[in-house]
Amino acid sequence: LTFQSHIKSITKTAFFQLSNIAKIRPILSLRDAETVIHAFVSSRLDYCNVLLSGLPNYAIRSLQLVQNAAARILTKTRKYDHITPVLASLRWLPVQARADFKVLLLTYKALHGLAPPYLSELLTPYTPARPLRSLDAALLVIPSIKKNRLASEHLLTVPLISGIHDHYMLKKQAQLKILN
């Protein structure tokens, strides 16, 4: 699962928005330009970025280029200037770090009771079978994913079939009421 189509659509839309912002940037103050860029570009980069957390750098590179372009437009930095100091001065994390930070923040909140209960229930503390030095490290169990093809198909088809059956029965009852 690479999310390549999702990343491509975000990149396309964000660059379109950036080209429009670049046209009006000379008349905007720094604060107004930052607000516009956050509204139209950063929000797109942050939407569902938790799903991008484990992806390799080559998959996220185009999103990073969008963020770099946004920083250049905002600060009026030239194309060949180094972007890392610009991002640091704006206090913007790189895209990969933003995604990782979001995952870590959700985990922290779930562990400390600040997240919804359905998230807290997903976390299981690691307890080793014997005393180890990592006993006090507050580690979490990484759940194993076992996908049984038949079981997953069954779980998906039962509600679908029952939903079709319910729809058919309601339609049949409505036809009987009209006839009576």
Side-chain angles (χ1 to χ4, degrees):
L1 199 53
T2 62
F3 296 105
Q4 205 57 35
S5 61
H6 174 69
I7 292 171
K8 189 175 182 177
S9 77
I10 290 173
T11 305
K12 182 180 175 181
T13 306
F15 273 125
F16 174 74
Q17 295 295 338
L18 279 175
S19 68
N20 289 337
I21 293 168
K23 292 174 187 173
I24 63 168
R25 175 64 182 105
I27 61 172
L28 294 175
S29 67
L30 180 64
R31 185 175 175 192
D32 293 338
E34 189 171 8
T35 303
V36 170
I37 285 176
H38 282 305
F40 289 107
V41 179
S42 299
S43 62
R44 293 183 195 282
L45 293 177
D46 288 339
Y47 179 71
C48 289
N49 70 347
V50 171
L51 299 174
L52 307 175
S53 179
L55 293 180
N57 288 336
Y58 70 85
I60 299 179
R61 186 174 188 282
S62 60
L63 295 175
Q64 186 61 52
L65 291 175
V66 169
Q67 186 184 37
N68 294 351
R72 288 184 198 285
I73 290 171
L74 181 62
T75 59
K76 298 179 182 177
T77 307
R78 293 182 311 214
K79 183 177 180 179
Y80 295 106
D81 291 343
H82 288 287
I83 196 65
T84 306
V86 175
L87 292 175
S89 69
L90 293 171
R91 298 180 184 212
W92 289 2
L93 288 173
V95 173
Q96 182 72 45
R98 288 167 85 122
D100 293 340
F101 178 76
K102 197 171 193 180
V103 170
L104 292 171
L105 184 64
L106 283 172
T107 305
Y108 175 83
K109 286 183 175 183
L111 285 174
H112 292 89
L114 302 170
Y118 66 89
L119 286 178
S120 300
E121 292 168 359
L122 295 174
L123 301 178
T124 308
Y126 173 69
T127 52
R130 61 183 196 277
L132 299 173
R133 283 183 279 167
S134 63
L135 185 65
D136 297 328
L139 300 174
L140 297 172
V141 173
I142 299 173
S144 62
I145 300 172
K146 295 178 184 176
K147 186 174 180 184
N148 184 349
R149 185 173 178 219
L150 294 175
S152 65
E153 287 176 1
H154 176 72
L155 291 175
L156 291 175
T157 55
V158 169
L160 180 64
I161 291 171
S162 66
I164 292 171
H165 176 70
D166 293 344
H167 176 71
Y168 176 75
M169 292 306 291
L170 289 172
K171 189 175 179 182
K172 192 78 162 170
Q173 288 174 354
Q175 288 175 349
L176 288 175
K177 286 181 182 177
I178 292 173
L179 292 176
N180 291 337

